Short mmCIF file of all heavy atoms in Angstrom, two decimals:
data_model
loop_
_atom_site.label_atom_id
_atom_site.label_comp_id
_atom_site.label_asym_id
_atom_site.label_seq_id
_atom_site.Cartn_x
_atom_site.Cartn_y
_atom_site.Cartn_z
N GLY U 175 -19.08 3.69 -3.50
CA GLY U 175 -18.53 3.03 -4.67
C GLY U 175 -17.07 3.33 -4.94
O GLY U 175 -16.48 2.80 -5.89
N GLY U 176 -16.46 4.21 -4.15
CA GLY U 176 -15.05 4.50 -4.31
C GLY U 176 -14.79 5.83 -5.00
O GLY U 176 -15.65 6.41 -5.66
N VAL U 177 -13.56 6.31 -4.85
CA VAL U 177 -13.12 7.56 -5.47
C VAL U 177 -12.10 7.22 -6.55
O VAL U 177 -11.16 6.47 -6.30
CB VAL U 177 -12.49 8.50 -4.43
CG1 VAL U 177 -12.05 9.80 -5.08
CG2 VAL U 177 -13.47 8.77 -3.29
N SER U 178 -12.27 7.76 -7.74
CA SER U 178 -11.35 7.48 -8.84
C SER U 178 -9.98 8.07 -8.54
O SER U 178 -9.85 9.14 -7.91
CB SER U 178 -11.88 8.07 -10.15
OG SER U 178 -13.08 7.44 -10.52
N LEU U 179 -8.94 7.39 -9.01
CA LEU U 179 -7.57 7.81 -8.75
C LEU U 179 -7.29 9.20 -9.32
O LEU U 179 -6.56 9.99 -8.72
CB LEU U 179 -6.60 6.79 -9.34
CG LEU U 179 -5.11 7.08 -9.17
CD1 LEU U 179 -4.75 7.24 -7.70
CD2 LEU U 179 -4.28 5.97 -9.81
N TRP U 180 -7.89 9.52 -10.48
CA TRP U 180 -7.61 10.83 -11.08
C TRP U 180 -8.10 11.97 -10.19
O TRP U 180 -7.52 13.07 -10.21
CB TRP U 180 -8.23 10.93 -12.47
CG TRP U 180 -9.74 10.99 -12.50
CD1 TRP U 180 -10.61 9.95 -12.63
CD2 TRP U 180 -10.54 12.18 -12.39
NE1 TRP U 180 -11.90 10.41 -12.61
CE2 TRP U 180 -11.90 11.77 -12.46
CE3 TRP U 180 -10.26 13.54 -12.22
CZ2 TRP U 180 -12.95 12.67 -12.39
CZ3 TRP U 180 -11.31 14.44 -12.15
CH2 TRP U 180 -12.64 14.00 -12.23
N VAL U 181 -9.12 11.73 -9.39
CA VAL U 181 -9.62 12.76 -8.46
C VAL U 181 -8.58 13.02 -7.37
O VAL U 181 -8.29 14.19 -7.02
CB VAL U 181 -10.96 12.33 -7.84
CG1 VAL U 181 -11.41 13.34 -6.80
CG2 VAL U 181 -12.01 12.15 -8.93
N ILE U 182 -8.00 11.95 -6.83
CA ILE U 182 -6.96 12.10 -5.81
C ILE U 182 -5.74 12.82 -6.39
O ILE U 182 -5.14 13.69 -5.74
CB ILE U 182 -6.54 10.72 -5.25
CG1 ILE U 182 -7.76 9.98 -4.71
CG2 ILE U 182 -5.49 10.88 -4.16
CD1 ILE U 182 -8.44 10.65 -3.55
N THR U 183 -5.38 12.48 -7.61
CA THR U 183 -4.23 13.12 -8.26
C THR U 183 -4.49 14.60 -8.50
O THR U 183 -3.61 15.44 -8.30
CB THR U 183 -3.91 12.42 -9.59
OG1 THR U 183 -3.67 11.03 -9.35
CG2 THR U 183 -2.68 13.03 -10.24
N LEU U 184 -5.69 14.92 -8.95
CA LEU U 184 -6.04 16.33 -9.16
C LEU U 184 -5.96 17.11 -7.86
O LEU U 184 -5.45 18.25 -7.82
CB LEU U 184 -7.44 16.43 -9.78
CG LEU U 184 -7.95 17.84 -10.08
CD1 LEU U 184 -7.03 18.53 -11.08
CD2 LEU U 184 -9.38 17.80 -10.60
N LEU U 185 -6.45 16.51 -6.77
CA LEU U 185 -6.37 17.15 -5.46
C LEU U 185 -4.92 17.36 -5.05
O LEU U 185 -4.56 18.42 -4.52
CB LEU U 185 -7.10 16.29 -4.43
CG LEU U 185 -7.03 16.77 -2.97
CD1 LEU U 185 -7.71 18.13 -2.82
CD2 LEU U 185 -7.68 15.75 -2.04
N PHE U 186 -4.09 16.36 -5.30
CA PHE U 186 -2.66 16.46 -4.98
C PHE U 186 -2.00 17.60 -5.76
O PHE U 186 -1.20 18.36 -5.20
CB PHE U 186 -1.98 15.13 -5.30
CG PHE U 186 -0.48 15.18 -5.30
CD1 PHE U 186 0.22 15.49 -4.15
CD2 PHE U 186 0.24 14.94 -6.47
CE1 PHE U 186 1.61 15.55 -4.15
CE2 PHE U 186 1.61 14.99 -6.48
CZ PHE U 186 2.30 15.29 -5.32
N ILE U 187 -2.31 17.73 -7.04
CA ILE U 187 -1.72 18.79 -7.86
C ILE U 187 -2.14 20.17 -7.32
O ILE U 187 -1.30 21.07 -7.19
CB ILE U 187 -2.14 18.62 -9.33
CG1 ILE U 187 -1.52 17.35 -9.90
CG2 ILE U 187 -1.71 19.84 -10.15
CD1 ILE U 187 -2.00 17.01 -11.31
N VAL U 188 -3.42 20.32 -7.02
CA VAL U 188 -3.91 21.61 -6.51
C VAL U 188 -3.23 21.95 -5.18
O VAL U 188 -2.77 23.09 -4.97
CB VAL U 188 -5.44 21.57 -6.34
CG1 VAL U 188 -5.93 22.82 -5.61
CG2 VAL U 188 -6.12 21.45 -7.69
N LEU U 189 -3.13 20.99 -4.28
CA LEU U 189 -2.50 21.23 -2.99
C LEU U 189 -1.01 21.53 -3.14
O LEU U 189 -0.46 22.38 -2.43
CB LEU U 189 -2.71 20.03 -2.07
CG LEU U 189 -4.14 19.79 -1.58
CD1 LEU U 189 -4.20 18.51 -0.76
CD2 LEU U 189 -4.64 20.97 -0.76
N SER U 190 -0.35 20.83 -4.06
CA SER U 190 1.08 21.03 -4.27
C SER U 190 1.37 22.43 -4.80
O SER U 190 2.26 23.13 -4.30
CB SER U 190 1.63 19.98 -5.24
OG SER U 190 1.50 18.68 -4.70
N VAL U 191 0.62 22.84 -5.81
CA VAL U 191 0.82 24.18 -6.37
C VAL U 191 0.46 25.24 -5.33
O VAL U 191 1.17 26.23 -5.15
CB VAL U 191 -0.03 24.36 -7.64
CG1 VAL U 191 0.05 25.81 -8.14
CG2 VAL U 191 0.45 23.42 -8.75
N GLY U 192 -0.64 25.01 -4.62
CA GLY U 192 -1.05 25.98 -3.59
C GLY U 192 -0.02 26.13 -2.49
O GLY U 192 0.25 27.26 -2.03
#
Side-chain angles (χ1 to χ4, degrees):
V177 181
S178 295
L179 179 57
W180 70 267
V181 175
I182 304 297
T183 303
L184 181 61
L185 176 63
F186 167 63
I187 294 174
V188 171
L189 291 176
S190 297
V191 174

